[in-house]
Amino acid sequence: TRQLEMEAVSKALAVLSGDDAHDLFTKTFNPSFVQVQSGAEMSSRRTAAARVLELSAKKFHSPYLSALATKVKLDAFERVKKAIDDMILQLGNEKAAEIKHKDF
């Protein structure tokens, strides 16, 4: 039923947004598995900056510079991440409204 579905979604959101899930992701994240290019090429400035950071990371064996290079590459997805966050917020609001409606 709809109620069971709502409970399952609530539990899934709680698990995925919990501290344990965040800690696990940060421990197991491997930037070498991240897609670095797509059909639409990154801007040349972003590509050049990411390349300089990657070379510096390799030269100085710095995981921080490597992470920064990955972040520079992925920042093009900020709008997508914001849209996902907005959808999660909207679903939470809808859930609260449905619960309030069912309580009457």
Side-chain angles (χ1 to χ4, degrees), residues 16-74:
L16 293 174
S17 61
D19 290 336
D20 292 336
H22 182 266
D23 292 341
L24 180 63
F25 176 76
T26 55
K27 287 179 188 174
T28 59
F29 178 69
N30 186 348
S32 65
F33 292 125
V34 175
Q35 181 179 352
V36 293
Q37 287 186 333
S38 65
E41 293 295 319
M42 291 187 284
S43 72
S44 60
R45 287 183 182 178
R46 183 182 301 271
T47 303
R51 186 70 186 141
V52 167
L53 288 168
E54 285 175 350
L55 291 173
S56 297
K58 287 179 184 175
K59 179 178 179 181
F60 298 112
H61 304 290
S62 172
Y64 299 109
L65 287 176
S66 180
L68 183 59
T70 302
K71 183 171 174 33
V72 166
K73 290 178 189 177
L74 296 179

